[in-house]
Amino acid sequence: MKAKEILVDSTPLPSAETPLNNQIEWRVLDGLAPYLDTVAAMEARVAAIANGTAGEAIWLLEHPPLYTAGTSAQAADLVEPDRFPVHASGRGGQYTYHGPGQRVVYVMLDLNKRGRDVRKFVSALENWVIGTLDSFNVKGERREGRVGVWVTRVRLGPNGQPAEDKIAAVGVKLRKWISFHGISINVEPDLSHFTGIVPCGISDHGVTSLVDLGLPVTLTDVDIALRENFAKAFGETT
C-alpha cells in the first residue's frame, strides 16, 4: 500500500457522522490533536455508530505531551504530576504517556456485528500490534500479567534475565458494545517523558520505540503497516 492511500485529514477533527457503508473509515489526523477535543469527537462518533447514523472508524493521530489515567490508575504512579497535563480516561488500565512521535490509534468498531467477546477483541488488538511490528522485523510479545506488547532486549535486566521493554500500550472501553480508545505504538517519542509516571504500574521494566531499536521507521510507515495488518488480526477486509 502506498502512503498516498492513507487519508490525511487537515481539519481539526473528523465529523461524528459519516454515511454508512461496509468500509471502515480510516483517517490520519494532521498535527497534534488536542486530547479533550479528540476524545469528545471520538465519543460523539461512538454514539453515532451505536444509533446507526455512522460507520466504524479508525483514527491515527499524535497528541501533545500528556499523561492519561485509566480506570485502575494509582496516585503513587504519577511521579511528576506537574510535568505535563494529566487527563482522567475512561479506558481500562493505569497511567500512560502520549506525545509526539507516538502513533495513537483510536479504534471505533461495532462489536455487535463482530461478536460480543471482550477477550477476543483485546486479543485481536494485541495481534494487530504484533503483526504491525513484525512488518519491521520486530518481535512483539505478550506477557502474562502485563498489559501491552513487549520486546526482549540484548541487555540484562535487574534479575539477570534479558531485559524487556514495552513498545505498545492497549487500553479500550466499550459503550453499547462499540469500542473506543485503543492502542499506541512508540515510533520515535521522547522516551524520557515516560519517567514522569510508572507506565501501566510496572516499574521493573523499561520502555522502547522502533527508532530506539535502531530502525529508521516513520509514522507513515507504521500507518501503512497498520492498514496492511488489520484484516489478518480482525478477520476483515479493509
Side-chain angles (χ1 to χ4, degrees), residues 63-149:
H63 283 307
L66 58 91
Y67 299 128
T68 64
T71 54
S72 301
Q74 304 294 318
D77 289 339
L78 182 59
V79 180
E80 298 181 49
D82 299 324
R83 186 171 185 181
F84 297 126
V86 181
H87 299 284
S89 172
R91 59 159 177 81
Q94 301 184 44
Y95 280 105
T96 193
Y97 166 77
H98 294 315
Q102 182 190 71
R103 178 51 86 214
V104 174
V105 187
Y106 287 144
V107 182
M108 291 152 277
L109 299 179
D110 188 351
L111 271 63
N112 293 292
K113 300 176 180 178
R114 295 172 175 270
R116 295 182 176 185
D117 188 327
V118 177
R119 288 180 178 271
K120 182 179 178 181
F121 177 62
V122 172
S123 178
L125 290 173
E126 293 171 338
N127 287 339
W128 189 22
V129 172
I130 291 168
T132 298
L133 295 174
D134 187 60
S135 297
F136 306 105
N137 296 314
V138 173
K139 185 179 181 182
E141 299 175 305
R142 297 178 176 89
R143 287 291 180 265
E144 185 69 27
R146 290 191 241 144
V147 296
V149 176

Side-chain angles (χ1 to χ4, degrees), residues 128-206:
W128 189 22
V129 172
I130 291 168
T132 298
L133 295 174
D134 187 60
S135 297
F136 306 105
N137 296 314
V138 173
K139 185 179 181 182
E141 299 175 305
R142 297 178 176 89
R143 287 291 180 265
E144 185 69 27
R146 290 191 241 144
V147 296
V149 176
W150 300 77
V151 295
T152 301
R153 308 301 300 271
V154 294
R155 71 178 189 275
L156 296 181
N159 59 359
Q161 299 297 315
E164 296 175 350
D165 290 343
K166 189 172 186 176
I167 195 168
V170 178
V172 294
K173 185 175 181 178
L174 300 176
R175 182 174 296 158
K176 296 183 178 179
W177 290 99
I178 312 298
S179 70
F180 56 117
H181 297 283
I183 64 177
S184 61
I185 299 175
N186 296 332
V187 182
E188 192 179 8
D190 185 336
L191 295 179
S192 71
H193 289 178
F194 285 88
T195 61
I197 57 172
V198 178
C200 299
I202 299 170
S203 59
D204 52 352
H205 297 284

Side-chain angles (χ1 to χ4, degrees), residues 216-238:
V217 178
T218 68
L219 289 170
T220 299
D221 295 331
V222 171
D223 294 344
I224 294 169
L226 283 164
R227 185 75 179 258
E228 291 176 340
N229 284 278
F230 181 87
K232 182 178 179 181
F234 287 89
E236 296 285 336
T237 59
T238 60

